[in-house]
Amino acid sequence: MAKKRKVFLHVGMPGAGDIIEVALVHHRDALFELGIDVPARSAEETFLSAVDVLREHKAWGFARKEVEGQWADVCRRAWMGKQTVAVSLPLVATASRPEIDLLLDTLAGMQVHVVLTASPDDDIDDIAARWGAAVRKPERLHVIRLDEPSPKKVWKAFGKVAGFGTASLGLADVPEPVGARPLSSLDEARREIERLARRNRSLERWRHESDRKRKKLKRRLSSVA
């Protein structure tokens, strides 16, 4: 029987382990050389994937069609690879059991390991129990709870669980996770991501509309000539 590929899915309590989401994307190419596939292309994509799984698009001001299929796209890329997979969806840590099952169903056939990051003060007994029951085997639930959860220590701890060293994968050039900025809550941080995402989409629409008008004008000028 062929050995199942492993997936290390990071989920995190507010503010604990946020660096993992952006560090995985930033070091995507280097991680590939270390035998780790990172199917997500941006932190925005993982955020929208979480919104998709949790069906919280209305709460974030999105139409369903704007987030639908985001997680499926990430999983499709994961299935295309041949190496161990690492993906971070910190927002889904507190998901309900049906939501967890929906998320994991798309990875059926792979050996899923869940990495839950939390601060010393977080009450995660119920959360850990839900994820532990979903992955079925206790050795596939990894809880990272550091007394001093600095980004470097959390990143190193995650790498140790997932099977890669972080000595060559520094954080100096990794963009700050939004939650690290002076914002009052994780909800505010996530809304900041959503605001930036909407700005990017507006710029894309503007560019598309400009290109359309330019082509239309070019056709008119050609017909006159």
Side-chain angles (χ1 to χ4, degrees):
M1 182 181 293
K3 190 175 182 180
K4 291 183 177 180
R5 291 170 63 208
K6 291 182 179 180
V7 178
F8 288 91
L9 171 66
H10 166 246
V11 300
M13 297 301 289
D18 288 352
I19 191 66
I20 295 171
E21 185 176 22
V22 290
L24 282 175
V25 173
H26 181 79
H27 290 298
R28 193 167 180 252
D29 293 339
L31 283 166
F32 182 81
E33 297 300 321
L34 295 175
I36 304 293
D37 278 339
V38 179
R41 293 171 175 166
S42 68
E44 178 187 339
E45 185 174 48
T46 52
F47 166 67
L48 294 176
S49 293
V51 174
D52 180 16
V53 170
L54 299 174
R55 293 189 175 274
E56 290 185 346
H57 52 283
K58 289 184 179 179
W60 290 104
F62 292 104
R64 179 62 191 159
K65 64 181 180 181
E66 291 181 282
V67 302
E68 192 168 23
Q70 291 283 339
W71 175 236
D73 287 344
V74 172
C75 289
R76 191 174 300 112
R77 283 182 228 123
W79 278 106
M80 290 172 63
K82 297 180 179 180
Q83 305 186 121
T84 294
V85 174
V87 64
S88 175
L89 298 178
L91 193 63
V92 305
T94 57
S96 66
R97 180 57 193 274
E99 291 166 340
I100 292 173
D101 289 342
L102 177 65
L103 187 157
L104 297 183
D105 278 349
T106 56
L107 299 171
M110 293 186 179
Q111 186 185 118
V112 180
H113 290 249
V114 171
V115 184
L116 171 61
T117 54
S119 67
D121 297 328
D122 287 325
D123 182 1
I124 60 170
D125 289 348
D126 290 341
I127 293 169
R130 283 200 298 276
W131 284 100
V135 295
R136 300 182 181 179
K137 295 186 177 182
E139 64 269 23
R140 294 182 187 172
L141 176 66
H142 311 266
V143 177
I144 297 176
R145 193 199 287 266
L146 302 173
D147 292 335
E148 297 178 13
S150 68
K152 185 177 180 179
K153 288 182 177 180
V154 172
W155 177 231
K156 182 179 180 179
F158 177 78
K160 185 176 181 179
V161 171
F164 64 86
T166 58
S168 62
L169 306 174
L171 301 178
D173 296 327
V174 174
E176 267 193 353
V178 178
R181 300 173 190 171
L183 300 172
S184 62
S185 67
L186 183 64
D187 281 346
E188 184 179 349
R190 295 300 176 191
R191 292 185 187 281
E192 176 66 5
I193 292 177
E194 184 269 338
R195 183 187 69 78
L196 293 172
R198 282 188 170 277
R199 184 194 66 180
N200 289 339
R201 287 196 300 276
S202 295
L203 289 172
E204 283 296 315
R205 292 190 186 107
W206 175 84
R207 189 180 69 174
H208 177 74
E209 183 64 14
S210 295
D211 286 345
R212 188 185 66 80
K213 289 180 178 179
R214 178 179 55 79
K215 290 177 181 178
K216 185 177 180 180
L217 178 61
K218 187 176 181 180
R219 286 195 299 271
R220 285 182 179 179
L221 291 174
S222 296
S223 63
V224 171

